Amino acid sequence: MATIGLDKLHLAEITEDEQGNETYATPTVFAKAISADLSIELNEATLYADDGQSEVVKEFKGGTISLGVDDIGHQIAAKLIGATLDKNGVLVSGSEDKAKPVAIGFRAKKSNGKYKYYWLYRVLFGVPATNLATKGDSISFSTPTIEGTIMRRNKVDSKGIHPWKAEVTETDTNKSVVDDWYNSVYEPTYTTDEGGEE
C-alpha cells in the first residue's frame, strides 16, 4: 500500500562496550521530516552447476539514507557530526571532528490511515548540505539535507543475527509495540519455533 506521509523523526545516541556492542539512549526528536530516501546495497553471489544457476545468495551489504528536514539544531548537529558547541552556543566544525553512529526512527503514513514504523539501528552521518538563496520576487524555502551510511549493528539479537532495520505496520494486534516505538530503540523478540529465545 502506498505511503502518503512521513513524520516523527527521532534519533538515539549509541554507546559501545569494549566489543563494540551497542547500547541505545532514550530516543529524542531529531527534526521535522520532509523526505527520507533509503537505498540498500546487497552482496550477491551465484553458484553455477550442471550448466545452470544452482544457488544464489543475496546478503545485506550496507545502504544510505538521505534525510530532508526543516532544520538541524546545533545540539543535534553536534551529536551527529562530532562538531563542538562552544560556551556561547556557537557550533564549531573542525577538520578533526569525528561523527558517531546513531539509531534513526521514523514513521510513514499509509493511504489507509495506518502507519509503518521504522528503526535503522546504526547510521553514520556526514556534514549536512546547506542550500541558501537570496530572497526574490517569490518565497522559496531552503532546508538542509543530511546523508548517512546505514550499517548493521555489532550487537547480535537473541536469534544470533546482526539486525540493520526494524519495521512494523500498525495493526490492532500490535498496538503496544507501536505505542512504545519511540520510548526506546526496538529490540527484536522471537518465539521458540523461529529459532531464537522466547
Side-chain angles (χ1 to χ4, degrees), residues 2-193:
T3 58
I4 59 171
L6 173 70
D7 68 355
K8 295 207 178 271
L9 185 58
H10 282 62
L11 71 81
E13 292 183 81
I14 294 174
T15 55
E16 299 178 19
D17 64 17
E18 292 178 2
Q19 289 75 40
N21 293 326
E22 297 88 351
T23 301
Y24 299 100
T26 302
T28 57
V29 174
F30 183 146
K32 291 183 178 179
I34 296 172
S35 63
D37 296 318
L38 192 65
S39 177
I40 302 302
E41 297 177 58
L42 299 175
N43 283 325
E44 185 173 343
T46 304
L47 174 67
Y48 291 89
D50 286 341
D51 296 331
Q53 292 181 342
S54 176
E55 293 182 40
V56 177
V57 175
K58 294 185 180 188
E59 294 181 346
F60 174 77
K61 177 180 180 182
T64 58
I65 185 166
S66 179
L67 291 173
V69 295
D70 70 329
D71 188 27
I72 299 173
H74 286 169
Q75 291 191 2
I76 296 295
K79 290 177 184 179
L80 292 179
I81 63 174
T84 305
L85 277 175
D86 76 2
K87 69 178 184 177
N88 298 313
V90 175
L91 184 68
V92 180
S93 297
S95 60
E96 297 82 9
D97 292 347
K98 185 174 179 187
K100 294 181 179 178
V102 295
I104 297 295
F106 52 93
R107 70 179 187 172
K109 190 174 187 178
K110 300 173 70 174
S111 56
N112 66 357
K114 300 287 187 181
Y115 286 90
K116 189 172 219 179
Y117 292 79
Y118 297 85
W119 273 111
L120 301 175
Y121 285 110
R122 191 175 176 92
V123 181
L124 187 65
F125 284 100
V127 176
T130 304
N131 301 305
L132 303 173
T134 191
K135 185 177 173 182
D137 290 337
S138 61
I139 296 172
S140 61
F141 291 100
S142 295
T143 57
T145 301
I146 187 164
E147 294 192 0
T149 300
I150 302 167
M151 301 169 279
R152 72 173 200 178
R153 75 177 187 183
N154 298 321
K155 180 182 174 183
V156 297
D157 63 18
S158 62
K159 197 174 177 181
I161 62 172
H162 299 269
W164 64 272
K165 176 179 75 167
E167 66 180 81
V168 65
T169 300
E170 179 183 12
T171 65
D172 293 334
T173 58
N174 63 13
K175 185 167 178 7
S176 63
V177 172
V178 297
D179 285 349
D180 290 338
W181 198 253
Y182 296 109
N183 293 333
S184 62
V185 175
Y186 181 77
E187 282 293 335
T189 56
Y190 303 101
T191 59
T192 304
D193 60 350

